[in-house]
Amino acid sequence: MQPQHVMLFSLALFTVGVVGVLLRRNAILILMSIELMLNAANLNLVAFAWARPDVAGQVFALFVIAVAAGEAAVGLAILIALFRNRENLNVDEIHLLKW
């Protein structure tokens, strides 16, 4: 296995995440797709760190993991509050911030 294979796999994961964000209407599935894209970016950073003997990619991957954990916590809190108020998580029917 070469780092290029890992990069191609992370590209495939990122593509699946983008498709999930663009095609899904459920807010939880959109949040999961965003997490998949962040994990694909982590995998790509680690693959670059593997290809070049440098620890900067691994440090950035740890930083992205911390940001993803915060994003998941805040996103799930927002979705729980939204579900309690609207009893629906379909993004087409959520128009709280629209004029």
Side-chain angles (χ1 to χ4, degrees), residues 61-98:
L62 289 175
F63 179 72
V64 171
I65 288 171
V67 170
E71 178 260 338
V74 172
L76 283 175
I78 290 172
L79 291 180
I80 288 171
L82 195 62
F83 185 75
R84 285 182 179 167
N85 288 332
R86 299 286 178 158
E87 296 182 358
N88 191 1
L89 289 178
N90 189 350
V91 293
D92 289 334
E93 297 177 10
I94 298 170
H95 49 81
L96 292 174
L97 298 178
K98 291 183 181 176

Side-chain angles (χ1 to χ4, degrees), residues 40-77:
N42 282 338
L43 193 59
N44 202 15
L45 287 171
V46 171
F48 274 112
W50 180 22
R52 301 180 62 192
D54 190 10
V55 296
Q58 295 171 358
V59 171
F60 280 126
L62 289 175
F63 179 72
V64 171
I65 288 171
V67 170
E71 178 260 338
V74 172
L76 283 175

Side-chain angles (χ1 to χ4, degrees), residues 4-5 8 19 26 30 48 51 55 58 82:
Q4 292 83 11
H5 297 126
L8 288 175
V19 169
N26 190 337
I30 291 173
F48 274 112
V55 296
Q58 295 171 358
L82 195 62

Side-chain angles (χ1 to χ4, degrees), residues 14-26:
F14 192 84
T15 304
V16 169
V18 168
V19 169
V21 167
L22 293 177
L23 296 182
R24 295 294 182 161
R25 298 291 105 207
N26 190 337

